[in-house]
Amino acid sequence: MELSSWSPTCDGRAALLLACLSACAPGGERPDARADVAEWRVASEPLLTVGAVDGPSETLLSRVADARLLPDGGVAVADGGSSSIRIFDADGRLRTTRGRAGEGPGEFASLSALHLYSPDTLVAWDSRLSRLTLFPPDPGAPVVTTPVHAPGGSAELWLGRFGDGSGAVGWIRQGPRGPDAVSADRMDLGRVAIGLGQISVLAPTQGIRRVAFQRPGGARTSMPLPFSPHLVGAVSGDALYFTDGVGPALEVVGSDGGRRGPLVHGLTGPPVAEALARLAAELPETGDRGALTTDDLDAVAAVTPLDPIPAVSALFSDDQGRLWLKAYDPVADSHWLGRSLAGGTWWIARRTGGMLARVQVPDGFRPMDVRGSRVAGLVRDTLGVERVEVRALLAP
């Protein structure tokens, strides 16, 4: 069987078993990835933990969307469950809360990203209302809310802040979809002036690839491919670096719209057999309450190839302007399993080109921000309780 174009036989699970037997090492690090770089790791124990298992409501976290390390040693958390920003000091004590649920100034319908605009000023992104909110350091000072109007769509993704203070956003610009075809979200990336909300389009791109298929014994449905590419981007300096995860390079566009790069990272996705084996091991054979199953995997593979597997699943920049790329993992990063983006192998690339380090991240820890030798990230326990931890970045 040609595994790079795998498709089910009459017994789909037999094909999955063959894929399991053919698979090699666990995902996240490829033989052709850059091997001549420094080996770093994120510590297994936290320096600081915020978020409680139980207690006062202001100490509980749920649906954490983002976290930012503060220069004074504290951490700011975008808590989607409460639609508020929780700001903790260097000892983990709650210092203040900004924002609440709603649609008025300083309120959120879907708090989805957080950025440190200056040492003491935060900018929050609401993906449902497509607007930025700037919170000055003085809690009594008025907030600045900027609606963002994207041409041909509704701005959804906040991708970072350029050196001149403007921001980068992304949105779907989608036409009609064919009922039987695999289709990719058509997207635009743009630059927005904070305080004005005016967007200038920087580049077109594409996002999630969706497939329509007949679920075994169920209704016809449309959903992302199990290993679908996914647009990720990050601003560093005066340029936006972005990719849908496929291929060995990041695309680069300046804040003025000029194309640069590409920045070659050299990573490749895991083999199809390995990706299938690892995903199949996490899926039940029969579903309950709509759960996806190995039969569903067979059904999707019957209508479309499941390759190529992405090479990159997440991207952000740290306080030194370096780019952090997560090597795609078929379990932690699959759309079918919720994209936890936790653990695995991350790579640090210089924005001028070349890899600096390979970073091993402990299972269950999802990095969100890096400042100096500190890494802030999300963890969930077996009951689904969320916490934000600050851990040490260990370099030889």
Side-chain angles (χ1 to χ4, degrees), residues 79 86 148 177 207 213 273 374 379:
D79 184 64
R86 310 280 180 84
V148 177
R177 298 181 185 274
F213 68 100
R374 298 184 300 148
V379 296

Side-chain angles (χ1 to χ4, degrees), residues 2 21 70 90 98 112 149 374:
E2 179 59 47
L21 294 174
L70 304 177
R98 311 296 299 270
S112 57
H149 305 288
R374 298 184 300 148

Side-chain angles (χ1 to χ4, degrees), residues 233-245:
V235 172
S236 180
D238 66 345
L240 170 62
Y241 299 78
F242 63 97
T243 179
D244 67 355

Side-chain angles (χ1 to χ4, degrees), residues 48-51 58-70 74-89 92 94-99 108 111-115 122 124 135 368-369 376-378 386-390:
L48 175 68
T49 300
V50 299
E58 62 269 18
T59 66
L60 305 178
L61 301 177
S62 66
R63 303 205 318 270
V64 169
D66 209 349
R68 284 291 174 267
L69 291 161
L70 304 177
V75 60
V77 178
D79 184 64
S82 64
S83 296
S84 67
I85 301 168
R86 310 280 180 84
I87 301 175
F88 299 86
D89 66 18
L94 182 67
R95 191 165 67 204
T96 187
T97 297
R98 311 296 299 270
F108 302 105
L111 176 58
S112 57
L114 192 61
H115 192 85
L122 292 166
F135 290 90
M368 290 180 161
D369 191 30
L378 175 66
E386 296 184 354
R387 298 183 303 278
V388 170
E389 294 183 349
V390 179

Side-chain angles (χ1 to χ4, degrees), residues 12-327:
R13 282 184 291 277
L16 286 173
L17 177 59
L18 178 57
C20 291
L21 294 174
S22 303
C24 50
E29 187 170 347
R30 308 272 55 82
D32 58 340
R34 303 295 177 86
D36 56 344
V37 297
E39 297 285 347
W40 296 0
R41 63 185 178 89
V42 173
S44 58
E45 297 298 326
L47 303 170
L48 175 68
T49 300
V50 299
V53 175
D54 54 31
S57 60
E58 62 269 18
T59 66
L60 305 178
L61 301 177
S62 66
R63 303 205 318 270
V64 169
D66 209 349
R68 284 291 174 267
L69 291 161
L70 304 177
D72 64 2
V75 60
V77 178
D79 184 64
S82 64
S83 296
S84 67
I85 301 168
R86 310 280 180 84
I87 301 175
F88 299 86
D89 66 18
D91 295 318
R93 294 186 295 261
L94 182 67
R95 191 165 67 204
T96 187
T97 297
R98 311 296 299 270
R100 60 184 180 184
E103 298 187 4
E107 298 177 341
F108 302 105
S110 182
L111 176 58
S112 57
L114 192 61
H115 192 85
L116 194 61
Y117 188 76
S118 68
D120 52 10
T121 301
L122 292 166
V123 171
W125 174 250
D126 189 315
S127 58
R128 185 175 303 167
L129 299 178
S130 297
R131 70 185 193 184
L132 291 161
T133 301
L134 187 149
F135 290 90
D138 180 2
V143 300
V144 178
T145 300
T146 306
V148 177
H149 305 288
S154 178
E156 298 176 59
L157 301 175
W158 169 257
L159 300 172
R161 172 180 173 267
F162 293 110
D164 64 3
S166 62
V169 294
W171 64 96
I172 295 175
R173 175 183 43 82
Q174 189 65 54
R177 298 181 185 274
D180 300 311
V182 174
S183 58
D185 292 343
R186 292 180 294 167
M187 304 188 72
D188 281 332
L189 304 175
R191 175 176 174 266
V192 58
I194 298 176
L196 297 177
Q198 299 172 342
I199 283 183
S200 56
V201 177
L202 297 177
T205 186
Q206 66 179 19
I208 293 173
R209 296 176 189 170
R210 306 176 192 273
V211 60
F213 68 100
Q214 182 72 39
R215 296 196 69 184
R220 189 167 183 80
T221 189
S222 177
M223 64 188 312
L225 288 168
F227 309 119
S228 173
H230 187 101
L231 174 67
V232 293
V235 172
S236 180
D238 66 345
L240 170 62
Y241 299 78
F242 63 97
T243 179
D244 67 355
V246 177
L250 304 178
E251 297 186 64
V252 188
V253 61
S255 59
D256 59 359
R259 286 280 183 165
R260 307 179 188 178
L263 189 155
V264 176
H265 53 69
L267 304 179
T268 60
V272 178
E274 176 188 325
L276 286 166
R278 296 192 60 209
L279 178 60
E282 299 295 324
L283 296 173
E285 290 189 7
T286 58
D288 179 33
R289 297 181 182 177
L292 292 164
T293 68
T294 55
D295 285 340
D296 292 312
L297 192 59
D298 292 343
V300 170
V303 298
T304 184
L306 295 180
D307 59 343
I309 310 298
V312 174
S313 58
L315 172 65
F316 67 86
S317 62
D318 63 18
D319 65 321
Q320 299 182 46
R322 302 173 303 196
L323 299 164
W324 285 61
L325 300 83
K326 185 178 191 299

